[in-house]
């Protein structure tokens, strides 16, 4: 997914090869991650697609099934991955993810500590942000989920950038070996205040921390504990509203005054005559009906500077 | 950020946050640079070689006022300086209820403001008294304590109200200067707060979404049309971390302003990766119809006539100090000791442009408040590699709606989405947690999508 070798970057000249991970796009709300394998097929409501047909085609191609249906094959990105990955836990979505990466000031070369790993949604974006020289150390207390995450990172080509550890961060804190080395720490735990003292020891001077909590009581408790060693403690929520777009022909009815039930658009001109408006075609946008109301609160803080 | 960049150096750029965001100043540190606080002019020399995040306070000395680093414990307002501890009179409020514990006694919070009358007679110290104290060398905090001691109504206030009073006096008599590290987040926030028109009202969460949606990452070639002062160019370059390239492109022959890039403290290697190119150079020969030429004239005319566009074409922008806006200090400093910021924005050479035409750009970000989105996208999308994502920012919804509609009709992209981010901050304090009273109503809109293979 991420390009560690400049020769392999996303290019119009690069084509899909055996073993590549592709994102099969059926519709904007229907996508699937598939690892291309010579001899395999993908079967969906559009028909049967042979992987061998895909090999050699450029990413972004439209490919056809035996029945003439089609899908698009896209190159994987952390955004697309978040939409297709298998949910072992509740995940973070793009709005929270983007904000976290920006607000923690994560740039290439950073060392980031994360707990819990969950399904690896955020971890994938953290890896992108620290590449090629940084690293993400992520911890989860659930051994099986840690294993699934590790498999995912191999599949998406991120295993050089991400190390998954099995550890109970709330109970034991982060490993001592990271003391004073972390540029940023991210916590998505039920009781993050238990991990905050350890996090403060892991961070470099002026390092940043973020805690994601669904409940305001957790936020209050965390904020209080943060005050000992942190400053700039700020809590946000971020949501995305999406819009749908349609072209509408707004007809105006040509009335002669006797048709009282339908309004008629007449404009008075300066010479006293009136003009009837002609149909206008316009592209209109309106907010989508469904929206997410809440994901969680993001509490950010910066390690206090000791002089 | 790497270790070496956590401590300031001579010639580096800093963001001075005075009194918790009341005033924001971008400055370049040099022995000659000065900052005016209230009526005092302080040298910025003490800031050189200090860690980012250090807080300074103005101290008086026979030679004049100077900035001195302060250890601030935000927990209960204790200040530790020179090993002495000034214990605060304020109490800890437990989070179970509003009980106050003072000297072992427990007082249930029963005070309120029913008897407080605001007629300006509560404070018995006069302005002259305070000046006299200052001349005798009293520190800011001593003045504040004196004001509190001489306030007839202070004891009657609730502890929350007392806290507010103290903070207000601190801002005036003991102003604090927090030296922040400039980066995409701090720069965007500062501009959005104080001078948003200069960055096209691009809010920090919107900027973060642009970077994610366009999959900005190392070893990518990102095409950018940035009419927001260079903020996006700088943010992309920061994420590239010295790999890949960001091509800042423009219609016509005059590049758009990239002043903000200078504030970023980007390393030489990162700066080298910021290139500029006129759009006409990027398009292949057959795609140069007369439309482009006309477009140039229209654009340039608009840029010159419209004062709402704050993206100035001149690189040496001179900002004057203002209490409410953003100032940039030290930019005019040209002493030999000053380290000159490396030059970003060199013109892209032919080999580079040919390579981009051959491989396509990895992604595209557009932020052009005054240009028509669709014509821009129609011209630039073909320059992207297959399956490359793009993200377009606009303050207004309509241009994006039209663009999205046309992209659908022309079947140039899939996964099209118009998003509007919503951001709300919370005040989190014991017994006083609620969303902040003030909120940004809009951070703009983003049209995102993925380019599909059209062959």
């Amino acid at each position: 997914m991420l390009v560690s070798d400049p020769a392999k970057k996303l290019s119009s000249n690069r084509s899909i090869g055996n073993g590549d991970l592709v994102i099969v796009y059926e519709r904007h709300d229907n996508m699937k991650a598939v690892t291309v394998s010579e001899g395999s097929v993908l079967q969906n409501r559009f028909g049967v697609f042979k992987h061998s047909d895909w090999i050699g085609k450029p990413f972004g191609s439209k490919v056809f099934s035996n029945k003439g249906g089609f899908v698009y094959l896209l190159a994987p990105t952390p955004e697309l991955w978040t939409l297709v990955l298998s949910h072992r836990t509740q995940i973070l979505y793009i709005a929270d993810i983007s904000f976290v990466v920006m607000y923690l000031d994560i740039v290439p070369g950073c060392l980031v500590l994360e707990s819990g790993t969950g399904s690896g949604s955020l971890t994938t974006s953290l890896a992108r942000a620290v590449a090629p020289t940084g690293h993400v150390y992520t911890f989860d207390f659930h051994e099986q989920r840690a294993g699934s995450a590790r498999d995912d990172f191999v599949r998406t080509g991120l295993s050089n950038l991400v190390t998954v550890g099995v550890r109970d961060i709330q109970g034991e804190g982060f490993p001592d070996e990271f003391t004073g080395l972390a540029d940023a720490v991210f916590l998505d735990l039920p009781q993050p205040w238990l991990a905050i003292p350890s996090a403060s020891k892991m961070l470099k001077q002026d390092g940043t921390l973020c805690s994601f909590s669904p409940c305001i009581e957790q936020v209050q408790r965390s904020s209080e504990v943060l005050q000992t060693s942190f400053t700039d403690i700020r809590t946000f929520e971020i949501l995305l509203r999406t819009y749908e777009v349609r072209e509408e022909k707004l007809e105006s009815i040509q009335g002669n005054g006797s048709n009282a039930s339908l309004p008629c658009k007449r404009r008075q001109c300066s010479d006293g005559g009136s003009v009837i408006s002609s149909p206008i075609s316009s592209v209109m946008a309106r907010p989508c009906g469904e929206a997410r109301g809440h994901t969680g609160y993001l509490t950010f803080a910066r390690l206090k500077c000791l002089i | 950020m790497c270790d070496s960049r956590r401590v300031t150096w001579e010639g580096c750029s800093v963001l001075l946050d005075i009194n918790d965001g009341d005033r924001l100043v971008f400055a370049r540190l040099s022995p000659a640079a000065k900052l005016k606080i209230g009526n005092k002019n302080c040298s910025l020399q003490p800031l050189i070689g200090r860690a980012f995040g250090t807080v300074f306070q103005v101290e008086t000395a026979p030679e004049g006022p100077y900035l001195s680093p302060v250890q601030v414990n935000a927990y209960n307002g204790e200040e530790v300086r020179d090993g002495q501890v000034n214990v605060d009179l304020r109490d800890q409020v437990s989070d179970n209820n509003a009980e106050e514990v003072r000297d072992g006694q427990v007082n249930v919070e029963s005070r309120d403001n029913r008897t407080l009358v605001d007629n300006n007679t509560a404070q018995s110290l006069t302005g002259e008294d305070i000046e006299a104290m200052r001349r005798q060398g009293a520190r800011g905090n001593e003045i504040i304590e004196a004001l509190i001691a001489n306030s007839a109504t202070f004891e009657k206030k609730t502890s929350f109200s007392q806290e507010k009073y103290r903070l207000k006096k601190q801002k005036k008599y003991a102003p604090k200067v927090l030296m922040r590290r400039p980066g995409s987040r701090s720069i965007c926030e500062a501009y959005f707060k104080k001078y948003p028109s200069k960055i096209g009202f691009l809010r920090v969460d919107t900027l973060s979404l642009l970077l994610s949606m366009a999959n900005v990452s190392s070893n990518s070639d990102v095409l950018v049309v940035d009419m927001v002062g260079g903020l996006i160019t700088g943010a992309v370059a920061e994420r590239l971390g010295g790999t890949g390239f960001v091509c800042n492109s423009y219609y016509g022959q005059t590049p758009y302003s990239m002043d903000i890039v200078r504030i970023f403290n980007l390393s030489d290697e990162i700066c080298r990766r910021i290139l500029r190119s006129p759009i006409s150079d990027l398009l292949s020969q057959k795609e140069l119809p007369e439309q482009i030429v006309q477009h140039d004239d229209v654009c340039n005319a608009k840029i010159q006539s419209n004062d709402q566009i704050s993206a100035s074409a001149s690189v040496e922008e001179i900002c004057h100090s203002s209490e409410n806006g953003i100032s940039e200090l030290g930019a005019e400093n040209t002493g030999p000791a000053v380290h000159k910021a490396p030059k970003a924005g060199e013109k892209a050479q032919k080999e580079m442009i040919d390579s981009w035409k051959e491989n396509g750009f990895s992604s595209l970000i557009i932020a052009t408040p005054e240009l028509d989105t669709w014509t821009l996208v129609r011209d630039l999308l073909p320059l992207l590699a297959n399956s490359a994502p793009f993200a377009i920012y606009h303050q207004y919804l309509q241009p994006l709606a039209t663009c999205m509609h046309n992209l659908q009709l022309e079947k140039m992209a899939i996964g099209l989405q118009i998003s509007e981010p919503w951001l709300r901050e919370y005040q989190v304090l014991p017994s006083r947690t609620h969303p902040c009273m003030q909120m940004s109503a809009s951070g703009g809109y983003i049209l995102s999508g993925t380019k599909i293979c059209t062959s």
Side-chain angles (χ1 to χ4, degrees):
Chain A
M1 187 185 304
L2 294 178
V3 182
S4 46
D5 174 8
K8 295 215 192 85
K9 64 184 169 194
L10 183 68
S11 146
S12 288
N13 296 328
R14 212 188 120 209
S15 45
I16 297 171
N18 196 25
D20 276 347
L21 177 69
V22 297
I23 306 291
V24 175
Y25 176 104
E26 291 181 24
R27 250 180 25 195
H28 71 273
D29 56 356
N30 197 335
M31 289 186 275
K32 204 174 153 167
V34 172
T35 303
V36 176
S37 168
E38 181 105 51
S40 289
V41 298
L42 167 74
Q43 204 156 14
N44 64 17
R45 61 210 166 98
F46 295 132
V48 176
F49 297 82
K50 286 199 247 170
H51 287 205
S52 50
D53 288 344
W54 300 351
I55 296 175
K57 288 217 167 66
F59 282 97
S61 293
K62 189 171 178 176
V63 291
F64 294 88
S65 73
N66 58 349
K67 291 198 292 182
F70 63 86
V71 293
Y72 291 94
L73 302 176
L74 299 181
T77 65
E79 279 62 49
L80 292 173
W81 181 251
T82 286
L83 297 172
V84 301
L85 63 82
S86 88
H87 291 211
R88 280 93 60 183
T89 60
Q90 174 61 278
I91 65 169
L92 283 192
Y93 291 92
I94 188 176
D96 292 302
I97 292 173
S98 321
F99 196 58
V100 166
V101 173
M102 163 135 291
Y103 230 77
L104 287 178
D105 290 322
I106 300 177
V107 292
C110 279
L111 194 155
V112 181
L113 300 177
E114 179 193 26
S115 185
T117 315
S119 308
S121 173
L122 171 68
T123 325
T124 307
S125 289
L126 292 175
R128 169 176 63 188
V130 305
T133 45
H135 205 89
V136 180
Y137 293 93
T138 180
F139 301 91
D140 204 283
F141 70 159
H142 195 280
E143 189 154 350
Q144 188 185 32
R145 285 205 286 264
S148 302
R150 237 178 250 124
D151 294 340
D152 276 351
F153 299 136
V154 169
R155 195 175 175 206
T156 51
L158 298 178
S159 38
N160 290 345
L161 293 161
V162 182
T163 301
V164 185
V166 179
R167 192 181 171 99
D168 172 16
I169 299 294
Q170 275 178 194
E172 302 172 65
F174 288 98
D176 288 333
E177 66 190 272
F178 297 113
T179 304
L181 298 180
D183 293 280
V185 173
F186 180 82
L187 301 173
D188 182 356
L189 297 167
Q191 298 169 301
W193 52 89
L194 297 177
I196 285 170
S198 167
S200 67
K201 295 198 185 70
M202 301 296 123
L203 283 170
K204 288 180 187 167
Q205 221 172 26
D206 208 37
T208 48
L209 175 140
C210 176
S211 173
F212 176 83
S213 292
C215 303
I216 197 70
E217 295 86 356
Q218 294 166 306
V219 172
Q220 287 178 301
R221 195 112 183 245
S222 298
S223 297
E224 212 175 299
V225 173
L226 281 168
Q227 283 177 14
T228 310
S229 307
F230 291 84
T231 178
D232 273 353
I233 302 165
R234 297 176 74 175
T235 299
F236 296 91
E237 43 175 0
I238 175 168
L239 294 168
L240 272 191
R241 187 191 221 196
T242 49
Y243 284 76
E244 55 188 35
V245 164
R246 254 171 62 182
E247 184 168 25
E248 289 278 324
K249 283 187 169 41
L250 298 175
E251 297 272 353
S252 72
I253 315 302
Q254 281 207 22
N256 54 9
S258 59
N259 198 344
S261 57
L262 295 167
C264 142
K265 281 178 159 54
R266 282 177 181 275
R267 285 194 332 263
Q268 290 299 115
C269 293
S270 50
D271 62 359
S274 59
V275 173
I276 299 169
S277 341
S278 45
I280 345 158
S281 174
S282 55
V283 174
M284 304 187 305
R286 71 170 180 192
C288 291
E290 284 156 30
R292 208 167 261 139
H294 179 67
T295 53
Y297 300 102
L298 288 167
T299 302
F300 295 93
R302 198 168 49 81
L303 197 65
K304 261 190 247 184
C305 190
L306 298 169
I307 52 158
Chain B
M1 277 294 167
C2 315
D3 262 316
S4 55
R5 302 289 187 145
R6 291 191 178 271
V7 175
T8 62
W9 61 96
E10 195 174 314
C12 85
S13 158
V14 296
L15 171 56
L16 300 174
D17 179 334
I18 300 157
N19 280 337
D20 288 317
D22 284 356
R23 191 173 147 217
L24 295 165
V25 178
F26 285 111
R28 201 160 283 283
L29 294 185
S30 74
K34 283 190 174 5
L35 173 72
K36 188 152 193 225
I37 303 189
N39 53 4
K40 299 195 180 77
N41 237 333
C42 299
S43 162
L44 293 182
Q45 162 91 54
L47 276 58
I48 302 178
R50 286 276 174 190
F52 282 109
T54 306
V55 180
F56 297 83
Q57 206 162 312
V58 181
E59 294 291 355
T60 31
E63 311 85 60
Y66 68 99
L67 286 167
S68 169
V70 158
Q71 180 69 64
V72 177
N73 186 343
Y75 187 39
N76 55 10
E78 268 190 62
E79 281 199 28
V80 182
R81 202 183 308 147
D82 302 327
Q84 293 170 321
V85 175
N86 286 337
V87 179
D88 213 86
L89 288 176
R90 278 184 301 142
D91 310 309
Q92 289 176 325
V93 180
S94 97
D95 61 348
N96 290 329
N97 50 37
E99 272 192 31
E100 288 191 35
V101 182
R102 195 194 305 205
D103 300 333
Q105 294 169 318
V106 174
N107 293 336
V108 175
E109 180 67 85
S110 57
R111 290 174 292 183
D112 55 39
N113 62 4
R114 72 185 86 193
T115 59
L116 290 179
V117 177
D118 187 5
N119 55 12
N120 238 6
T121 57
Q123 180 58 251
S124 52
L125 278 185
T126 64
E128 288 106 43
D129 293 333
I130 295 171
E131 262 319 296
M133 283 179 76
R134 259 213 259 252
R135 267 181 271 120
Q136 281 160 25
R139 280 178 173 159
N141 293 319
E142 289 161 7
I143 296 179
I144 293 164
E145 295 304 328
L147 283 166
I148 289 173
N150 282 283
S151 162
T153 51
F154 189 79
E155 290 298 305
K156 284 190 251 162
K157 294 188 197 221
T158 64
S159 57
F160 308 149
S161 189
Q162 288 178 344
E163 217 172 285
K164 244 175 130 167
Y165 182 90
R166 181 180 290 274
L167 276 172
K168 195 173 145 197
K169 296 304 169 194
Q170 256 173 7
K171 287 194 175 187
K172 187 165 179 195
Y173 296 103
K176 288 200 174 60
V177 179
L178 163 61
M179 185 170 67
R180 289 186 184 279
R181 200 175 51 191
S184 15
R185 184 247 292 216
S186 56
I187 296 173
C188 184
E189 274 195 309
Y191 270 89
F192 191 77
K193 193 171 178 187
K194 300 290 185 179
Y195 201 173
S197 58
K198 172 130 184 144
I199 55 167
F201 295 85
L202 178 64
R203 204 171 56 200
V204 65
D205 55 323
T206 316
L207 174 61
S208 74
L209 278 161
L210 288 176
L211 296 173
S212 286
M213 286 169 158
N215 193 27
V216 176
S217 55
S218 56
N219 291 314
S220 314
D221 292 294
V222 184
L223 176 59
V224 164
V225 188
D226 176 345
M227 286 177 81
V228 291
L231 175 59
I232 291 181
T233 308
V236 171
E238 205 182 46
R239 290 274 175 105
L240 291 177
T243 65
F245 288 94
V246 51
C247 177
N248 175 306
S249 62
Y250 48 93
Y251 273 118
Q253 293 305 313
T254 317
Y256 308 134
S257 162
M258 247 173 40
D259 287 351
I260 296 181
V261 172
R262 289 188 298 143
I263 304 176
F264 271 82
N265 279 334
L266 299 172
S267 69
D268 291 355
E269 188 51 50
I270 297 180
C271 283
R272 230 167 271 144
R273 305 298 180 139
I274 301 175
L275 300 175
R276 272 170 151 159
S277 174
I279 290 177
S280 46
D281 284 2
L282 298 173
L283 299 171
S284 45
Q285 287 309 108
K286 59 176 157 67
E287 286 157 28
L288 270 183
E290 311 78 58
Q291 294 159 308
I292 304 262
V293 175
Q294 285 167 7
H295 207 209
D296 290 354
D297 300 335
V298 170
C299 284
N300 286 330
K302 273 195 163 182
I303 290 169
Q304 280 145 27
S305 64
N306 196 328
D307 26 311
Q308 287 206 349
I309 294 205
S310 346
S312 103
S314 122
V315 178
E316 273 86 37
E317 185 174 320
I318 297 157
C319 308
H320 27 264
S321 193
S322 87
E323 286 303 311
N324 292 323
I326 295 199
S327 338
E328 192 170 332
L329 304 180
E332 57 282 345
N333 232 315
T334 47
V338 175
H339 166 80
K340 272 237 171 284
K343 218 160 188 254
E346 296 288 342
K347 194 141 193 262
Q349 298 306 304
K350 185 174 186 304
E351 296 78 38
M352 199 68 239
I353 295 181
D354 287 342
S355 156
W356 288 332
K357 284 183 185 167
E358 164 94 20
N359 295 307
F361 286 97
S362 321
S363 62
L364 166 67
I365 300 181
I366 296 177
T368 52
E370 300 287 317
L371 293 183
D372 173 50
T373 313
W374 166 239
T375 17
L376 197 42
V377 171
R378 186 201 55 201
D379 288 346
L380 296 180
L381 213 57
L383 297 176
L384 295 186
N386 292 316
S387 195
F390 56 88
I392 304 160
Y393 167 75
H394 213 287
Q395 226 190 301
Y396 291 88
L397 180 56
Q398 197 53 45
L400 295 183
T402 307
C403 185
M404 175 164 164
H405 181 73
N406 291 336
L407 284 170
Q408 281 168 331
L409 286 181
E410 305 279 322
K411 294 190 168 50
M412 291 166 78
I414 54 172
L416 291 166
Q417 174 166 294
I418 295 182
S419 317
E420 180 190 9
W422 184 88
L423 181 71
R424 192 198 233 180
E425 189 167 359
Y426 277 68
Q427 166 186 289
V428 179
L429 291 171
S431 309
R432 288 162 285 168
T433 297
H434 57 72
C436 290
M437 298 303 195
Q438 291 196 312
M439 182 177 145
S440 154
S442 174
Y445 305 86
I446 300 175
L447 168 62
S448 58
T450 306
K451 183 203 160 174
I452 47 179
C453 182
T454 42
S455 53

